[in-house]
Amino acid sequence: MTVSEQQAVDALAHVRDHNPHAGQGSVLLDIGDGVGALVVTMPEQMLGQEVEIESEDPRVTEELVRLYAHEHGHDHDHGHDHGHGHARPHVAVVPRPLPGGGQVACLVFGSLPAGRYTLHEKGSPEVAMVVEVPDGRVLETTWPA
């Protein structure tokens, strides 16, 4: 499922209002020794939206909030909930280049302690999917239809 050029432009314009560096270049995956990464292929209609992640261990989730902190256009520490009722780290769904050309909608959490996580559309209490991030490897999966 590839992304059109106009879809990519529209999605990045929205995302960059919140994080001016989103979707620019490669994502560094910092994995190994208890840490993995997560790449989720997303439906095109989710371009520009944010997805939150939550660990079964609240301490891990709190640490991830700090790790995935980004500029929200106002000063604060990342310990509050940004008005959506809870504090869960989140990343945007952005177009990423494919080998050989084209782009695909996806999200990347480039460094996660190995373990079980739930993913949620931003601000939703509903669990969209559950993943098990492996130690020292990248889990590649697809968002449920």
Side-chain angles (χ1 to χ4, degrees):
M1 176 180 323
T2 59
V3 174
S4 75
E5 189 171 321
Q6 187 58 50
Q7 288 172 309
V9 168
D10 292 346
L12 287 175
H14 167 74
V15 170
R16 288 188 180 145
D17 285 344
H18 302 285
N19 180 358
H21 305 292
Q24 295 183 10
S26 301
V27 176
L28 175 66
L29 302 180
D30 186 8
I31 62 176
D33 196 26
V35 178
L38 175 63
V39 177
V40 183
T41 301
M42 303 295 290
E44 291 177 23
Q45 65 267 25
M46 289 191 69
L47 276 169
Q49 295 182 37
E50 293 179 325
V51 172
E52 300 172 328
I53 193 165
E54 187 168 19
S55 170
E56 290 182 335
D57 181 343
R59 293 170 298 177
V60 171
T61 299
E62 289 173 19
E63 182 58 33
L64 292 175
V65 168
R66 287 186 285 282
L67 178 66
Y68 286 94
H70 57 266
E71 181 57 46
H72 281 80
H74 56 276
D75 260 348
H76 64 274
D77 86 16
H78 236 73
H80 76 74
D81 68 10
H82 303 293
H84 48 74
H86 54 275
R88 290 191 295 225
H90 52 273
V91 295
V93 177
V94 298
R96 297 276 177 203
L98 292 169
Q103 299 180 81
V104 66
C106 72
L107 62 81
V108 178
F109 283 97
S111 183
L112 295 168
R116 189 178 177 104
Y117 294 87
T118 57
L119 278 79
H120 311 254
E121 290 187 42
K122 187 174 179 189
S124 173
E126 301 298 318
V127 174
M129 68 186 302
V130 178
V131 297
E132 186 80 30
V133 174
D135 182 354
R137 296 193 333 252
V138 179
L139 173 62
E140 295 182 69
T141 189
T142 302
W143 190 259

